[in-house]
């Protein structure tokens, strides 16, 4: 019995035993996790239950495909078979890789067994027993690997069989899809032909119905006329009554005609008189918002306007209703927003004779004024620079600048920090353009804040004056108040 010292064993392991890993390539960085059972049997460690084998995956996919085959459409079935074919190809590739890995394992086990046999001849004692035990384990691994290879070959055959089955099924599904598509096209063409035949039959029936209906109507009219003729022949008394009524109507028509001729002659005489009078005056000025109209004499025989009575009216362009403009009794009148779209008429009375002057058309709106007012409506309070020319009907001597505030709920007139008028919108409040006042009438407005307080305000421009009137009326209307001039409310409500 030879005793091996520790130093000898270390020297033997370093010098005499060749390195096993020198010409071996391991598939992984660690040795497989094996357990040794009874009689030195090698047992695999329990695998993760969540990881399925390739055979189980193939079986599950086959079951799912067979189950869905009954309820899928032809096109979906073809798509599913194509996916299954791709999956089978993938499984075949995995089987090939496993086969290659198995071959590498065989080579590795053979090299490992050769290394252990070489080591067995160089060691003795307990180390030799360990080497023999390792050789037995390697042989057991080789046997187990051979068994696994057999299973792999069987799985490969099954995968190949499944791939062929799926390929054939995919081809059958494609043929079935093409056949169904061809059948559908034939059905569509036959349906179109049937619809066309029905349309042609309907058109023919409609033409026949029209022709027969027209013929029936003509025959019915002939029958009615014949029935009327027969009835008149059998009722001569009614025909006599109708002739007497026609004679009476002719006599009345002749009298009405004579009376109409007399009225026409009288109307022609009155028109000649009015034409002679209307040529005495004419309206001068642009017929648009922001300007003013002036009654201008155009004849040397025209009477002085100071000795005439003047009154302005607004006439609706649709119904022709004439509305009196209260206070507009001067020779000059500046249209206000209420006059837009209406015809203005001035009546001049002198020595009991009336002369009527009208604008050629409706008053036009000012360009861009609507957009300007819409921009001001978005503000809570709008300020305008004004000058007070009259207060309570009396001229106001001061020409200092005042501020007119037009708000959503009220109007306010201020001079610096002093408030002259501050009133909420109410039925007592009045607001309109100045009705008279010369060339400056287009820039001035009349505002009655409350009873006992009224002012005439002059603005910087005609646009500012009209914008203030439209804005105040807009805010007052939101408060259910209608702002208008004196005596205008009744006409607006009517």
């Amino acid at each position: 019995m030879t005793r091996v010292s520790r130093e000898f064993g270390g020297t033997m392991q370093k010098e005499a035993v060749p390195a096993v890993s020198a010409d071996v390539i391991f598939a992984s960085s660690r040795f497989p996790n094996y357990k040794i059972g009874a009689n030195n049997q090698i047992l695999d460690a329990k695998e993760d239950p969540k990881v399925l084998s390739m055979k189980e995956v193939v079986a599950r996919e086959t079951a799912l495909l067979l189950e869905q085959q009954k309820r899928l459409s032809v096109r979906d079935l073809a798509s599913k078979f194509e996916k299954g074919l791709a999956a089978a190809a993938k499984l075949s590739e995995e089987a090939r890789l496993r086969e290659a890995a198995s071959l590498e394992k065989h080579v590795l086990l053979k090299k490992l067994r050769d290394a252990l046999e070489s080591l067995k001849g160089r060691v003795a004692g307990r180390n030799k027993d360990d080497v023999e035990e390792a050789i037995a384990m390697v042989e057991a691994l080789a046997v187990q690997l051979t068994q696994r290879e057999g299973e792999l070959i069987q799985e490969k055959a099954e995968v190949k069989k499944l791939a062929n089955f799926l390929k054939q099924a995919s081809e059958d599904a494609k043929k079935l899809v093409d056949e169904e598509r061809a059948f559908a096209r034939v059905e569509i063409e036959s349906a179109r032909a049937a619809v066309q035949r029905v349309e042609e039959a309907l058109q023919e029936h409609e033409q026949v119905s029209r022709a027969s209906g027209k013929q029936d109507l003509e025959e019915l009219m002939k029958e009615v006329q014949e029935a009327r003729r027969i009835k008149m022949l059998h009722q001569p008394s009614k025909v006599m009554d109708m002739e007497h009524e026609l004679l009476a109507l002719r006599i009345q028509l002749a009298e009405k005609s004579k009376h109409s001729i007399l009225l026409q002659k009288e109307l022609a005489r009155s028109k000649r008189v009015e034409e002679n009078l209307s040529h005495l005056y004419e309206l001068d000025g642009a017929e648009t918002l922001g300007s003013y109209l002036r009654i201008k004499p155009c004849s040397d025989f025209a009477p002085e306007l100071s000795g005439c009575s003047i009154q302005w009216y607004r006439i609706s362009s649709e119904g022709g209703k004439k509305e009196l403009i209260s206070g507009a009794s001067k020779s000059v009148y500046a249209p206000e927003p209420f006059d837009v779209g209406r015809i203005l008429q001035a009546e001049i009375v002198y020595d009991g004779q009336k002369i009527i002057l009208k604008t050629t058309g409706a008053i036009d709106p000012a360009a861009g004024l609507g957009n300007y007012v819409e921009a001001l409506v978005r503000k809570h309070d709008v300020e305008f620079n004004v000058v007070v020319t009259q207060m309570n009907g009396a001229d106001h001597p001061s020409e200092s600048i005042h501020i007119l505030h037009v708000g959503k709920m009220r109007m306010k007139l201020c001079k610096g920090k002093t408030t002259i008028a501050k009133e909420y919108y109410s039925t007592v409040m009045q607001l309109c353009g100045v009705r008279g006042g010369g060339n400056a009438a287009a820039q001035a407005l009349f505002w009655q804040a409350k009873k006992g307080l009224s002012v005439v305000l002059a603005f910087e421009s005609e646009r500012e004056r009209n914008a203030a009137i439209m804005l105040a009326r807009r805010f007052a209307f939101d408060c259910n108040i209608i702002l208008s001039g004196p005596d205008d409310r009744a006409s607006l409500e009517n």
Side-chain angles (χ1 to χ4, degrees):
M1 189 75 179
T2 306
R3 184 178 180 182
V4 182
S5 65
R6 183 180 300 177
E7 290 79 5
F8 175 78
T11 306
M12 184 270 298
Q13 291 177 0
K14 291 181 180 179
E15 296 178 358
V17 181
V20 177
S21 62
D23 56 351
V24 177
I25 299 175
F26 292 96
S28 62
S29 61
R30 62 183 180 86
F31 199 82
N33 187 14
Y34 295 104
K35 290 184 179 180
I36 300 175
N39 298 325
N40 294 327
Q41 293 295 325
I42 299 175
L43 302 176
D44 291 338
K46 294 184 179 179
E47 298 179 354
D48 189 359
K50 296 182 180 179
V51 180
L52 301 177
S53 64
M54 183 175 62
K55 187 175 181 180
E56 293 175 349
V57 171
V58 171
R60 187 179 64 179
E61 291 293 333
T62 304
L64 290 175
L65 287 174
L66 293 176
E67 182 182 359
Q68 293 178 357
Q69 184 178 4
K70 299 179 180 179
R71 56 187 178 88
L72 291 177
S73 64
V74 176
R75 184 173 298 175
D76 294 339
L77 185 61
S79 176
K80 288 292 182 180
F81 275 119
E82 290 177 358
K83 291 181 180 179
L85 186 61
K90 185 177 179 181
L91 291 176
S92 178
E93 181 66 18
E94 291 180 357
R96 188 182 64 79
L97 293 178
R98 287 188 180 184
E99 184 179 0
S102 176
L103 183 61
E104 291 180 358
K105 290 179 181 179
H106 273 290
V107 175
L108 176 62
L109 289 175
K110 186 177 182 305
K111 289 184 178 182
L112 181 59
R113 189 176 183 285
D114 294 341
L116 290 175
E117 289 289 343
S118 177
L119 182 62
K120 179 180 178 183
R122 293 184 177 89
V123 297
R126 186 175 180 179
N127 292 332
K128 187 174 182 179
D129 296 338
D130 293 339
V131 170
E132 290 178 354
E133 184 178 356
I135 291 173
M137 291 175 61
V138 169
E139 290 176 353
L141 285 173
V143 172
Q144 188 176 5
L145 183 60
T146 303
Q147 294 176 355
R148 296 292 293 272
E149 285 180 355
E151 294 178 358
L152 182 62
I153 292 172
Q154 185 178 358
E155 291 179 356
K156 184 177 179 182
E158 292 179 357
V159 169
K160 187 175 181 180
K161 183 178 179 181
L162 177 63
N164 294 331
F165 170 73
L166 292 176
K167 185 176 180 181
Q168 183 64 32
S170 178
E171 293 177 357
D172 295 342
K174 288 182 179 178
K175 291 180 180 179
L176 184 59
V177 169
D178 294 336
E179 291 177 359
E180 292 295 333
R181 188 174 296 166
F183 290 156
R185 288 176 180 173
V186 172
E187 292 293 333
I188 291 172
E189 292 297 332
S190 62
R192 287 179 179 174
V195 170
Q196 187 175 2
R197 289 195 299 270
V198 171
E199 290 181 352
E200 292 175 354
L202 288 175
Q203 292 178 358
E204 184 178 358
H205 178 70
E206 186 177 358
Q207 292 177 357
V208 172
S209 300
R210 288 179 181 176
S212 62
K214 187 176 181 180
Q215 184 177 1
D216 294 341
L217 182 61
E218 292 177 354
E219 293 178 356
L220 182 61
M221 290 179 64
K222 291 180 180 179
E223 292 178 0
V224 170
Q225 292 176 358
E226 183 66 19
R228 286 180 178 176
R229 187 182 65 82
I230 295 172
K231 185 177 180 180
M232 293 295 292
L233 290 175
H234 288 82
Q235 295 181 356
S237 59
K238 292 185 177 181
V239 176
M240 295 290 292
D241 294 338
M242 293 176 64
E243 290 181 355
H244 289 304
E245 290 178 3
L246 288 174
L247 182 60
L249 288 174
R250 289 192 185 98
I251 294 173
Q252 292 180 6
L253 184 60
E255 293 178 354
K256 295 290 184 182
S257 177
K258 293 179 181 179
H259 185 63
S260 176
I261 293 171
L262 294 176
L263 290 176
Q264 288 178 1
K265 291 180 179 179
E266 185 176 356
L267 182 61
R269 287 195 300 269
S270 62
K271 281 185 177 180
R272 284 195 295 270
V273 174
E274 289 181 359
E275 288 176 359
N276 293 331
L277 293 175
S278 61
H279 289 301
L280 299 176
Y281 302 97
E282 65 179 0
L283 289 178
D284 184 24
E287 298 176 359
T288 182
L289 185 63
S291 62
Y292 63 91
L293 299 174
R294 181 189 295 276
I295 300 175
K296 178 182 177 182
C298 58
S299 174
D300 296 336
F301 302 100
E304 290 292 334
L305 291 174
S306 58
C308 300
S309 175
I310 302 173
Q311 181 59 54
W312 291 81
Y313 298 88
R314 61 173 65 98
I315 302 175
S316 175
S317 58
E318 297 178 355
K321 182 180 179 181
K322 185 169 68 173
E323 298 176 3
L324 178 84
I325 304 176
S326 179
S329 59
K330 305 294 183 181
S331 60
V332 176
Y333 177 74
E336 65 156 66
F338 270 156
D339 299 325
V340 175
R342 301 185 181 184
I343 298 173
L344 294 180
Q345 176 178 310
E347 294 184 358
I348 307 170
V349 180
Y350 178 76
D351 289 340
Q353 296 179 350
K354 183 186 294 185
I355 302 174
I356 298 176
L357 302 177
K358 291 183 181 180
T359 56
T360 57
I363 301 298
D364 296 326
L369 181 61
N371 294 334
Y372 178 57
V373 173
E374 288 298 328
L376 296 178
V377 167
R378 301 187 183 96
K379 299 181 180 179
H380 183 75
D381 184 82
V382 183
E383 299 180 358
F384 297 95
N385 295 328
V386 297
V387 175
V388 179
T389 59
Q390 288 184 6
M391 182 174 291
N392 294 329
D395 293 339
H396 196 270
S398 176
E399 296 182 356
S400 58
I401 301 298
H402 292 63
I403 304 296
L404 177 64
H405 296 263
V406 180
K408 292 185 178 293
M409 301 296 294
R410 65 186 179 185
M411 293 179 64
K412 182 172 64 173
L413 180 64
C414 299
K415 180 183 178 183
K417 296 182 179 181
T418 304
T419 300
I420 299 175
K422 178 181 177 183
E423 295 294 332
Y424 289 93
Y425 298 114
S426 64
T427 56
V428 180
M429 186 178 294
Q430 296 179 0
L431 183 72
C432 63
V434 169
R435 296 166 178 180
N439 300 342
Q443 300 179 7
L445 64 78
F446 169 79
W447 178 40
Q448 178 180 302
K450 58 183 178 180
K451 290 184 178 180
L453 179 58
S454 61
V455 291
V456 175
L457 305 176
F459 287 74
E460 295 178 346
S461 63
E462 295 85 355
R463 184 187 187 190
E464 295 292 322
R465 172 254 203 180
N466 294 320
I469 295 175
M470 294 175 66
L471 190 64
R473 288 175 176 170
R474 175 78 170 270
F475 289 154
F477 185 77
D478 293 339
C479 300
N480 294 326
I481 301 296
I482 298 178
L483 281 184
S484 58
D487 301 329
D488 286 346
R489 197 179 306 277
S491 61
L492 290 174
E493 292 175 354
N494 293 334

